[in-house]
Amino acid sequence: MTQVPLISPLKAPLKGTIRVPGDKSISHRAILFSAMAEGVSEVKGVLDSDDVRSSLAAIQALGAQANLTKAEDGSLEGTIKGWGAKGPTEPSGPIDCGNSGTTARLLMGILAPWDICVTLTGDDSLKKRPMRRITAPLMKMGAHFEPAEGQNLPLKVCGSSKLQGIRYEAPMASAQLKTAVLLAGIFAEGKTALIEPSPSRNHTELMLPEFGIPTTAANCTAEVQGGSIPQAASILVPGDPSSAAFIACAALLKPGSEVCIENVSLNTARIGFTRTLERMGADITIVRTGASGKEPVGNISVRYTPGLRGCEIPADKIAGLVDEIPVLSLVAAHAKGITVFREVSELRVKESNRLAAIIEGLSQLGVDAWEDGNDLYIEGNPNLKNTSHLFFTAHDDHRLAMTWALVGLCGNKPVIIPDFSSVTISYPNFLSDVMRLGK
Ligand code: S3P
């Protein structure tokens, strides 16, 4: 459907059942790991979005053969024949990772063990994002980058078939960093271990064994043993909890709403937002219905709850809800009291500077929000109303576009978001999905 920058209030509360598209993190991994594997993998439920298309185009440029078609539910499904033991082929030009940090960073780990040179680049946002966190451990393992001191894309990855396993203490909890190091470690000599300050999402540790790569994870330490080639697998991608969070929060912002989001990944490293909403007093229920591979899957039901209260989210819980902080901040703006997100410096280096953008957007609504050191404070107002047409810039950031869209959809005046079309990064049908529930 066409994306419009003017977003008007829903006519009715959100009611009913919905399935959100496939998980973005798991979709990237399904595509990238299949490309690395020997043989033909089958993937199903893959998110069809700009970010995932960046990973798909990248593996094709590197020699994997993907045959994916659109399923009835809008997801991608089909087969991917990986390059396996023979490795990726050097592409004729740079690989454009678009807006996708996951594509760029995971590719660095994937390319590091092969004797080829590949230039990775991206859009203006991705070119600003820090890459040193990935290149530093990969250089310790034996890969090279040009320029060697480069902090940002474009960067040329010059791999080496003689990588050494490492034990690396990550300076921040980042699943992209962890995954890049583990993927390089599969082909390195000996064992590779990655230690994190707090737990980040663990889809890689859960999915690598499906590809025949023994991986252990405990106490913030993930390990792979080098020396075996991934073998083709069959991966079913569950719904994206990060997309579900927007529907859940919409239901909490629009009086009278009651929704059930089905078939969502209930991976505890991803559903921290449900715990935060519960602590705010929200009526939210989680029911496990099964599993997709090692990913627990189930339904999240949310009922509009008046009288939400602010709460404090400690530093060690941030990684489990990092992508949901924009929309949680909007809910916090409607809650009684102060909400504090501790140690959220990572928000400054997402698709935009989300810390600054949240404060800027909430101030448009007349809400006091501020940063103190690396903490984000929001002083909520249970009587908050948007009384005029507001204009929000999403900084070309999909999660900000959806957050500010909820101000219009669940409030009483339309909002204008000129760069709303950035939702195609993770949830292309976001607007029509919310409008269907609220008509
Ligand atoms: C992701 C990890 C997170 C998250 C991003 C997706 C992944 O980033 O914010 O949207 O798929 O591994 P960091 O690894 O930088 O925390």
Side-chain angles (χ1 to χ4, degrees):
M1 71 168 286
T2 40
Q3 308 291 350
V4 285
L6 178 82
I7 294 169
S8 300
L10 295 171
K11 298 214 163 47
L14 290 91
K15 294 263 182 195
T17 296
I18 188 167
R19 286 188 171 223
V20 288
D23 185 78
K24 182 157 82 66
S25 292
I26 301 175
S27 295
H28 279 297
R29 286 160 174 77
I31 287 171
L32 296 169
F33 299 0
S34 296
M36 296 166 68
E38 190 73 50
V40 180
S41 294
E42 282 179 29
V43 295
K44 241 184 146 178
V46 172
L47 168 67
D48 188 4
S49 78
D50 290 355
D51 248 25
V52 176
R53 292 258 173 195
S54 293
S55 282
L56 198 51
I59 60 148
Q60 288 172 310
L62 291 165
Q65 288 165 32
N67 184 7
L68 302 187
T69 54
K70 198 117 172 146
E72 222 172 276
D73 63 0
S75 65
L76 294 174
E77 62 181 36
T79 57
I80 296 174
K81 183 167 190 281
W83 51 69
K86 82 175 186 328
T89 37
E90 195 169 282
S92 50
I95 290 184
D96 186 350
C97 303
N99 190 250
S100 176
T102 308
T103 306
R105 290 172 171 155
L106 269 51
L107 275 181
M108 289 181 185
I110 290 171
L111 294 167
W114 302 98
D115 292 317
I116 57 172
C117 285
V118 181
T119 299
L120 302 179
T121 189
D123 70 6
D124 289 346
S125 151
L126 188 55
K127 280 187 195 150
K128 288 193 203 114
R129 299 183 67 185
M131 294 297 156
R132 196 78 190 147
R133 57 179 63 187
I134 314 291
T135 59
L138 295 178
M139 285 198 278
K140 275 187 200 269
M141 296 176 83
H144 297 276
F145 290 85
E146 290 175 18
E149 295 307 312
Q151 309 277 343
N152 306 102
L153 297 185
L155 277 173
K156 193 192 266 189
V157 190
C158 291
S160 159
S161 51
K162 298 196 171 50
L163 291 191
Q164 289 295 323
I166 49 167
R167 188 174 170 79
Y168 189 71
E169 290 204 21
M172 71 287 291
S174 160
Q176 293 174 353
L177 160 55
K178 173 173 63 181
T179 305
V181 171
L182 292 178
L183 294 181
I186 295 173
F187 298 90
E189 197 179 318
K191 200 184 263 181
T192 291
L194 191 292
I195 302 118
E196 303 192 273
S198 59
S200 68
R201 64 192 66 189
N202 60 352
H203 306 301
T204 297
E205 298 91 300
L206 294 179
M207 200 189 285
L208 280 181
E210 309 269 317
F211 285 88
I213 303 297
T215 312
T216 59
N219 304 325
C220 291
T221 302
E223 284 184 3
V224 287
Q225 176 65 44
S228 35
I229 305 286
Q231 298 299 314
S234 188
I235 304 292
L236 173 61
V237 180
D240 194 327
S242 297
S243 297
F246 287 98
I247 306 290
C249 291
L252 289 171
L253 293 171
K254 180 80 181 167
S257 299
E258 193 170 349
V259 293
C260 175
I261 312 148
E262 292 181 336
N263 189 45
V264 186
S265 164
L266 296 183
N267 185 320
T268 49
R270 292 293 301 285
I271 58 164
F273 74 94
T274 62
R275 183 80 193 104
T276 298
L277 293 174
E278 267 172 18
R279 289 180 54 221
M280 292 177 128
D283 185 343
I284 180 162
T285 317
I286 295 168
V287 178
R288 185 176 166 162
T289 53
S292 268
K294 292 208 183 72
E295 297 279 341
V297 172
N299 303 339
I300 301 177
S301 300
V302 185
R303 200 187 300 194
Y304 174 76
T305 329
L308 296 182
R309 305 172 299 273
C311 70
E312 179 173 331
I313 298 93
D316 63 339
K317 298 285 184 266
I318 292 298
L321 47 73
V322 67
D323 292 339
E324 289 65 70
I325 294 175
V327 73
L328 288 173
S329 298
L330 180 64
V331 174
H334 291 78
K336 185 164 186 271
I338 292 183
T339 294
V340 193
F341 294 94
R342 297 282 180 208
E343 294 302 328
V344 291
S345 58
E346 279 296 299
L347 290 185
R348 296 195 180 98
V349 291
K350 292 294 178 188
E351 286 84 328
S352 68
N353 179 346
R354 287 186 182 159
L355 188 50
I358 290 167
I359 293 169
E360 172 195 69
L362 292 183
S363 78
Q364 299 260 92
L365 276 168
V367 173
D368 245 352
W370 64 95
E371 51 189 285
D372 181 17
N374 290 322
D375 299 340
L376 168 63
Y377 286 75
I378 296 152
E379 187 167 351
N381 170 7
N383 301 315
L384 189 62
K385 293 227 154 42
N386 56 328
T387 48
S388 59
H389 286 53
L390 291 175
F391 177 99
F392 290 98
T393 168
H395 299 277
D396 291 317
D397 181 333
H398 55 131
R399 304 214 192 271
L400 293 173
M402 291 187 275
T403 298
W404 305 134
L406 292 190
V407 174
L409 290 163
C410 304
N412 13 41
K413 294 277 181 197
V415 298
I416 296 166
I417 308 170
D419 47 353
F420 179 73
S421 63
S422 53
V423 299
T424 54
I425 292 297
S426 63
Y427 194 170
N429 292 332
F430 163 76
L431 193 57
S432 52
D433 276 2
V434 178
M435 284 169 63
R436 184 174 62 72
L437 291 169
K439 70 167 193 280

